[in-house]
């Protein structure tokens, strides 16, 4: 389904499951299309009686794209896009699940549109509020990856593009939590579906954040919140997840041993789904 956000912007979205089931909105991380929400994980949520909605951010998948390096939007528009997706599917309230950048958007939804949020699951992310104290930065290995990104691949070559996407995800995963076969299958679909891979891998990184809204994590009190974080996250070390959970009264923390900055690996899915839905 293509959602018309305005006359110039469309978002490519997909819904799985019974139309009358409670909705789960999945919000992906930086540069991710909806494909990175693994089909098998989505199927487990559907099997548990949920209606799963996933969508392509601007500049990813089948959604509207801008020239690489020149996004025509800010982070604020990525936030309002999530509301537009709920509206398009007629969803009054949803369990909002956000990963990394998506976790920040999910926090904003809980703070600014609490009436639209039934619960939050915040995966591999950090607090948008500045009051959680000083936290460790990325690991030296992760900083080295950012400092030495190398030349861009030939995005017009499907095989090279798939390899680039797979290798781009590898440094973020935990040391024993990278499923190359699964990542390659997803990357092949991403390459097949994406309008502009150069824009997908560039524009979220260079976009302006735009105006900010409320950031007081304590205001999420009373909302069911699950924080999911890996003990081997190289971008937001596990202290970020612990601080986020501590800053939200009543939040639960699920630490996954060996998980990096990634979607929880398949062996952890039973624990994840149970923690999400059996609160």
């Amino acid at each position: 389904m293509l959602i018309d956000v305005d006359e110039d912007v469309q978002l490519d979205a997909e819904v799985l499951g019974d139309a009358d089931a409670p909705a789960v909105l999945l919000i992906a991380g930086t540069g991710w299309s909806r494909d990175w929400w693994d089909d098998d994980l989505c199927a487990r949520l559907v099997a548990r009686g949920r209606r799963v909605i996933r969508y392509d951010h601007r500049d990813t998948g089948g959604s509207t794209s801008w020239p690489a390096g020149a996004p025509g939007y800010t982070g604020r528009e990525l936030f309002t896009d999530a509301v537009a997706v709920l509206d398009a599917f007629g969803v009054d309230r949803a369990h909002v699940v956000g990963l990394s950048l998506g976790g920040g958007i999910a926090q904003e939804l809980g703070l600014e549109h609490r009436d639209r949020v039934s619960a939050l699951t915040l995966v591999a992310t950090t607090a948008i509020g500045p009051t959680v104290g000083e936290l460790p930065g990325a690991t030296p290995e992760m900083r080295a990856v950012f400092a030495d990104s190398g030349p861009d691949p030939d995005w017009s070559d499907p095989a090279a593009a798939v390899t680039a996407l797979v290798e781009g995800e590898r440094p973020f995963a935990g040391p024993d939590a990278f499923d190359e076969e699964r990542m390659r299958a997803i990357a092949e679909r991403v390459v097949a579906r994406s309008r502009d891979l150069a824009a997908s891998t560039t524009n979220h990184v260079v976009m302006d954040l735009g105006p900010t809204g409320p950031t007081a994590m304590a205001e999420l009190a009373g909302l069911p919140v699950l924080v999911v974080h890996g003990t081997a996250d190289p971008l937001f070390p596990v202290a970020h997840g612990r601080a986020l959970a501590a800053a939200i009264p009543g939040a639960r923390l699920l630490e996954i041993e060996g998980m990096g900055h990634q979607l929880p690996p398949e062996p952890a899915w039973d624990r994840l789904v149970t923690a999400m839905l059996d609160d």
Side-chain angles (χ1 to χ4, degrees), residues 46-263:
V46 170
R48 287 289 303 270
R50 297 307 190 267
R51 182 189 189 200
V52 175
I53 300 168
R54 54 183 177 174
Y55 67 99
D56 297 329
H57 285 302
R58 299 176 186 222
D59 270 320
T60 75
S63 293
T64 300
S65 64
W66 283 258
Y73 55 88
T74 70
R76 186 67 181 177
E77 278 71 48
L78 295 188
F79 161 65
T80 57
D81 284 348
V83 180
V85 171
L86 292 177
D87 291 343
F89 286 107
V91 175
D92 292 328
R93 299 177 76 231
H95 183 150
V96 179
V97 183
L99 186 148
S100 193
L101 168 70
I105 295 171
Q107 292 171 58
E108 291 182 275
L109 281 171
L111 290 167
E112 296 192 46
H113 294 282
R114 189 184 179 109
D115 60 319
R116 308 296 301 273
V117 178
S118 60
L120 289 174
T121 297
L122 309 174
V123 184
T125 193
T126 192
I128 61 173
T131 60
V132 296
E134 293 188 13
L135 294 169
T139 64
E141 294 80 7
M142 193 81 263
R143 293 198 300 271
V145 168
F146 290 134
D148 185 22
S149 57
D152 288 339
D154 179 1
W155 293 116
S156 66
D157 178 346
V162 167
T163 297
L165 292 178
V166 171
E167 294 308 313
E169 293 299 318
R170 191 186 299 274
F172 291 88
D176 297 313
F178 188 71
D179 186 336
E180 182 167 349
E181 182 178 356
R182 190 178 290 273
M183 287 295 98
R184 185 165 295 276
I186 292 173
E188 287 172 351
R189 190 166 63 185
V190 171
V191 170
R193 290 188 58 248
S194 295
R195 294 189 184 190
D196 187 336
L197 286 165
S200 297
T201 56
T202 303
N203 285 352
H204 289 178
V205 177
V206 302
M207 72 179 177
D208 186 87
L209 294 180
T212 59
T215 59
M217 294 292 99
E219 295 300 314
L220 295 173
L223 190 65
V225 177
L226 173 67
V227 176
V228 182
H229 217 96
T231 61
D233 192 320
L235 184 63
F236 297 138
V238 68
H240 287 253
R242 293 169 180 168
L244 176 58
I248 302 172
R252 296 170 296 132
L253 174 64
L254 173 61
E255 288 188 18
I256 299 179
E257 187 68 28
M259 170 182 149
H261 191 75
Q262 62 186 121
L263 186 71

